[in-house]
Amino acid sequence: MRICKAVIPAAGTGSRLWPLTATVPKPMLPIGRTPILEHVISNLRMAGIEEVMVVVDFRRDAIMDYFGDGKALGVDISYVVQGPDLRGSAGAILHAAEWIGDSGFMFASPDCYMGKPATNASPLTALQRLVAAFEQRSVMAIALTEWVPRQMAVGAPALNIPLIASTAADPQDRDPFPIDLSAPAPVSESGRLSVLVPRGYWALSPDMLDVMRRTPVGPDGEVRVSSAARLVTPTKAVWAAPMWPGECSVDIGDWSNFLRISALAAVQDEEYGPEIVKFVSGELSGHRLS
């Protein structure tokens, strides 16, 4: 099943980045010289996405006025306003259910910044590999994931990889593999040195819409894609597509990550990067620069 559509939830208030988001919606916060949402859409376009549905609410005019119909970015952008009855990532998708129809689609978090890979080990981007993995298989869902040390994943939405997953679940393996989320084990009890963590992007079958409709609302009042995936039986196939070494997808929704990624984007700026590196190096060494 071909994927050419993507749903992006951009309705949140960005409370973790308050007061910066008091006047600017979080998807419009700049990473370097470009709003984070533009980074996301550009990466989707490189992966073959042609149509994008942006689910908006908080200060939606700023988003809609800036991106318009998407033609400037090479995609067709539509908008739908998120209501109070359906919240969370799966709730945002259900607002776009009619638009999705019977097409395969991608879910893309507007918070997840994918920078330039530290190495060129893969000829394809992580999202290009995610789309290819879905289109080559008859599956319900494939999550873009990253293997992280177990101690770093405590408290994170880790995915359970059962022991029966054989050698395909080796953290050194770069190929997609099936996972069973129906009976997740706590990260602290997984017995593994590394565990899988989802990184904000899913390739999904339209059949997942029905699964999301019967997914229970979480304690926080939200319905999440990861919760819906746990309702999929192993025979229906949920897969993981691991990121390769040197690739990253960072949630910029908190101050720590937002400042780190903003600094990285600044030093990587083609025009001003070398000047910024010189300035910061001087400040850190005690030689202040004018």
Side-chain angles (χ1 to χ4, degrees):
M1 178 178 289
R2 182 170 178 264
I3 287 184
C4 64
K5 294 183 175 182
V7 177
I8 304 175
T13 60
S15 58
R16 290 183 295 168
L17 290 177
W18 196 267
L20 195 59
T21 50
T23 56
V24 179
K26 184 171 59 175
M28 294 300 296
L29 293 179
I31 299 297
R33 309 190 201 190
T34 305
I36 177 62
L37 182 55
E38 186 171 341
H39 285 287
V40 171
I41 293 175
S42 296
N43 285 330
L44 291 172
R45 178 177 52 79
M46 289 178 59
I49 298 300
E50 301 169 357
E51 302 176 60
V52 174
M53 175 63 78
V54 182
V55 184
V56 295
D57 187 13
F58 179 72
R59 298 196 178 277
R60 56 183 177 270
D61 289 345
I63 297 173
M64 297 168 69
D65 290 346
Y66 180 87
F67 290 99
D69 61 9
K71 293 295 191 298
L73 295 178
V75 296
D76 292 325
I77 297 180
S78 301
Y79 303 90
V80 63
V81 178
Q82 183 163 10
D85 54 329
L86 291 172
R87 295 174 52 206
S89 53
I93 290 172
L94 290 176
H95 277 90
E98 183 176 350
W99 176 82
I100 293 168
D102 59 359
S103 301
F105 66 100
M106 187 180 293
F107 169 83
S109 168
D111 297 349
C112 289
Y113 173 77
M114 303 187 75
K116 298 177 181 178
T119 66
N120 294 319
S122 173
L124 303 177
T125 68
L127 294 187
Q128 287 172 335
R129 295 197 312 274
L130 176 63
V131 169
F134 181 87
E135 293 181 342
Q136 293 166 6
R137 296 167 175 84
S138 178
V139 297
M140 291 284 281
I142 302 184
L144 182 70
T145 59
E146 181 180 8
W147 286 103
V148 300
R150 184 176 63 183
Q151 63 270 23
M152 293 178 58
V154 174
L159 303 177
N160 176 57
I161 308 302
L163 297 179
I164 59 173
S166 72
T167 57
D170 188 322
Q172 302 304 315
D173 196 90
R174 298 180 178 182
D175 294 327
F177 52 85
I179 54 179
D180 180 6
L181 302 179
S182 59
V187 171
S188 59
E189 300 175 8
S190 67
R192 291 175 174 270
L193 295 179
S194 298
V195 295
L196 275 184
V197 173
R199 286 307 189 197
Y201 295 84
W202 291 76
L204 300 163
S205 162
D207 292 337
M208 282 297 297
L209 296 174
D210 286 335
V211 179
M212 293 176 192
R213 292 186 180 100
R214 55 185 174 85
T215 301
V217 177
D220 58 357
E222 297 190 355
V223 182
R224 291 184 168 81
V225 176
S226 56
S227 299
R230 298 191 189 282
L231 300 182
V232 177
T233 60
T235 56
K236 294 290 186 179
V238 175
W239 285 55
M243 301 182 73
W244 286 26
E247 295 177 336
C248 70
S249 177
V250 180
D251 181 353
I252 58 90
D254 60 58
W255 279 108
S256 174
N257 284 342
F258 177 73
L259 292 175
R260 287 195 301 117
I261 295 302
S262 295
L264 180 63
V267 300
Q268 289 180 340
D269 187 275
E270 293 184 0
E271 183 176 359
Y272 295 107
E275 178 182 330
I276 294 171
V277 170
K278 181 180 178 181
F279 171 78
V280 173
S281 297
E283 290 289 306
L284 294 178
S285 65
H287 303 291
R288 291 186 171 271
L289 305 175
S290 59

